[in-house]
């Protein structure tokens, strides 16, 4: 790994471009209205911890309105954007990711999904017109949440576990600790001169929550790591969602589902905008393998811990750390 240090810019990690497989066509595409969707979701979560969702029912208008509002915000002068930062953990962030020294070619807004907290932060995002940004976030997030509840209920049915809301109830709970981010990966024209290298927008990591739901514009950049360790590029699709299994769902399925390792690399010419809903449980919830998924005589792989315990440990870690390692039974 080398660093880019031009025009006094902060040093950022560069990784070799040849690594990901751009031709991989095996990413599962699941039609939410298909009678086979439940079984396919379970297969995809076991094999990839990742799938693309089509026919999801979220209005395209909510997706494009939030993208437009996001672009407007990121086009503001730096001094105005800085008024909404730094993220602690919510707010506007630039280059720095998390509290422990990770950096990337990115700026972002990290928000709680609670409507009060959204309107509070939106008054620093657009003081003259906080409702415009706020209502775009609220409409989008509430629609994506409903779709995610349904996905988790379909997964529970596909796994043959009861009740149907055994997973979705954690996100539906008023105390659910969910969050939301809008990411902007600016283009980097200097990269043209550094042929064969790409800039890391968001370094490799797994998401700590139960499930993450991503939508991006039509710019490349997202890569996932397959079970055999190869990185593949995920062709963007602005009309679809990409679902990621998080660490907590890996634990709840006693390792049957794998949280997907992923990262974002930067294009030299085109900005990437993504928005991600991270569905997390209430802080007091114990994250443990669901008894109905542990066969008789089978060992549980993880120690018992609450989401608050895990979150505390997450915020002490670096992006690429294996956070679940600390909670595995040795
Ligand atoms: C990764 C998933 C979500 O984006 C996030 C990230 C969080 C942050 O940006 O504040 C973390 C990262 C994420 C995991 C390790 C810690 C915390 C940055 C970081 C280095 C919001 C989350 O929940 O965990």
């Amino acid at each position: 790994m080398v660093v880019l240090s031009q025009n006094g810019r902060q040093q950022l990690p560069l990784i070799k471009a040849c690594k990901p497989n751009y031709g991989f066509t095996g990413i599962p595409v699941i039609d939410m209205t298909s009678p086979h969707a439940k079984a396919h979701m379970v297969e995809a979560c076991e094999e990839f911890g990742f799938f693309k969702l089509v026919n999801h029912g979220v209005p395209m208008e909510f997706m494009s309105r939030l993208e437009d509002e996001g672009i407007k915000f990121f086009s503001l002068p730096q001094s105005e954007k800085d008024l909404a930062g730094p993220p602690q953990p919510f707010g506007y962030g630039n280059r720095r990711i998390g509290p422990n020294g990770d950096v990337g070619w990115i700026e972002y807004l990290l928000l709680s999904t609670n409507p009060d907290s959204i309107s509070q932060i939106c008054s620093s995002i657009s003081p003259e017109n906080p409702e415009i940004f706020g209502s775009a976030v609220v409409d989008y997030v509430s629609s994506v949440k409903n779709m995610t509840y349904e996905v988790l209920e379909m997964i529970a049915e596909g796994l043959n576990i009861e009740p149907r809301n055994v997973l979705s109830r954690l996100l539906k709970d008023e105390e659910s600790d969910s969050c939301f981010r809008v990411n902007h990966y600016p283009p980097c024209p200097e990269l043209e001169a550094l042929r064969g290298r790409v800039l890391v927008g968001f370094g490799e990591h797994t998401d700590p929550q139960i499930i993450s739901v991503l939508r991006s514009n039509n710019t490349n950049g997202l890569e996932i790591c397959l079970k055999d360790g190869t990185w593949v590029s995920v062709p963007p699709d602005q009309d679809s969602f990409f679902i990621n299994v998080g660490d907590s769902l890996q634990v709840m399925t006693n390792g049957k589902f794998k949280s997907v390792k992923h990262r974002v690399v930067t294009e030299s010419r085109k900005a990437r905008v993504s928005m991600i809903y991270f569905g997390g449980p209430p802080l007091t919830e114990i994250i443990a393998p669901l008894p109905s998924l542990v066969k008789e005589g089978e060992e549980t792989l993880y120690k018992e811990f609450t989401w608050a315990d895990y979150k505390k440990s997450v915020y002490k870690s670096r992006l690429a750390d294996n956070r679940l390692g600390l909670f595995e039974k040795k």
Side-chain angles (χ1 to χ4, degrees):
M1 189 178 284
V2 292
V3 288
L4 176 76
S5 168
Q6 269 178 312
N7 310 335
R9 278 188 165 133
Q10 193 176 338
Q11 297 205 326
L12 289 162
L14 281 172
I15 54 172
K16 282 194 188 118
C18 53
K19 260 196 172 169
N21 176 349
Y22 288 101
F24 184 74
T25 54
I27 289 168
V29 181
I30 299 179
D31 176 344
M32 212 167 156
T33 61
S34 148
H36 308 292
K38 295 167 194 167
H40 285 165
M41 284 180 187
V42 170
E43 277 166 33
C45 291
E46 287 174 351
E47 181 58 34
F48 298 92
F50 186 84
F51 59 91
K52 171 168 154 173
L53 191 65
V54 300
N55 272 328
H56 44 70
V58 174
M60 298 294 168
E61 190 242 321
F62 289 175
M63 297 152 78
S64 52
R65 183 151 59 98
L66 183 58
E67 181 182 330
D68 293 347
E69 288 307 316
I71 291 171
K72 271 193 226 158
F73 171 76
F74 292 118
S75 315
L76 290 173
Q78 191 61 49
S79 57
E80 281 181 47
K81 292 187 280 191
D82 287 338
L83 295 175
Q88 290 172 330
F90 301 128
Y92 168 75
N94 186 14
R95 311 281 164 83
R96 292 175 208 282
I97 301 170
N100 302 313
D102 288 289
V103 288
W105 189 255
I106 185 177
E107 56 178 341
Y108 58 90
L109 279 167
L110 190 51
L111 308 170
S112 149
T113 59
N114 154 337
D116 291 339
S117 150
I118 293 176
S119 51
Q120 199 193 335
I121 202 121
C122 289
S123 47
S124 56
I125 291 168
S126 52
E128 305 87 56
N129 230 330
E131 310 81 49
I132 296 186
F133 193 88
S135 78
V137 175
V138 169
D139 288 348
Y140 176 86
V141 169
S142 65
S143 185
V144 169
K145 272 185 182 173
N146 286 326
M147 183 268 284
T148 310
Y149 303 155
E150 183 60 25
V151 167
L152 287 175
E153 290 171 14
M154 291 172 79
I155 288 177
E157 285 188 352
L159 283 167
N160 272 313
I161 53 172
E162 285 187 329
R164 188 174 194 259
N165 70 352
V166 64
L167 300 168
S168 64
R169 68 174 184 86
L170 300 170
L171 273 54
K172 285 181 173 172
D173 193 303
E174 266 189 25
E175 301 290 314
S176 142
D177 183 36
S178 296
C179 61
F180 178 65
R181 70 188 305 153
V182 184
N183 292 327
H184 175 227
Y185 300 93
C188 181
E190 290 96 329
L191 271 183
E192 299 274 328
L194 291 161
R195 292 227 324 260
R197 303 266 172 183
V198 289
L199 195 55
V200 175
F202 207 113
E204 66 174 76
H205 67 285
T206 60
D207 293 343
Q209 293 82 358
I210 293 174
I211 193 167
S212 319
V213 179
L214 174 142
R215 185 266 174 188
S216 76
N217 65 349
N218 269 342
T219 302
N220 279 308
L222 179 63
E223 297 174 0
I224 63 167
C225 186
L226 305 183
K227 270 186 177 166
D228 66 3
T230 48
W231 285 92
V232 298
S233 167
V234 178
D237 178 351
Q238 61 183 13
D239 298 332
S240 305
F241 287 98
F242 292 93
I243 310 288
N244 295 252
V245 170
D247 296 340
S248 301
L249 188 53
Q250 174 170 329
V251 173
M252 293 178 78
T253 59
N254 202 30
K256 288 179 182 61
F257 289 3
K258 288 280 178 296
S259 58
V260 61
K261 206 192 279 178
H262 56 288
R263 67 186 181 194
V264 176
V265 297
T266 298
E267 281 256 330
S268 52
R269 278 178 228 149
K270 209 175 147 230
R272 176 177 164 93
V273 180
S274 62
M275 36 233 203
I276 308 120
Y277 161 66
F278 301 93
L283 286 171
T284 52
E285 188 72 30
I286 292 173
I287 309 298
L290 294 167
S292 46
L293 289 180
V294 185
K295 292 195 201 96
E296 241 184 71
E298 193 182 319
E299 292 286 313
T300 55
L301 302 176
Y302 306 93
K303 299 174 196 161
E304 208 173 83
F305 58 91
T306 63
W307 171 244
D309 297 331
Y310 194 55
K311 220 180 144 181
K312 203 166 144 199
S313 156
V314 162
Y315 275 93
K316 286 189 190 143
S317 69
R318 298 285 301 259
L319 267 185
D321 289 348
N322 169 21
R323 281 173 281 280
L324 270 186
L326 288 173
F327 297 85
E328 278 162 11
K329 286 186 186 163
K330 294 287 172 253

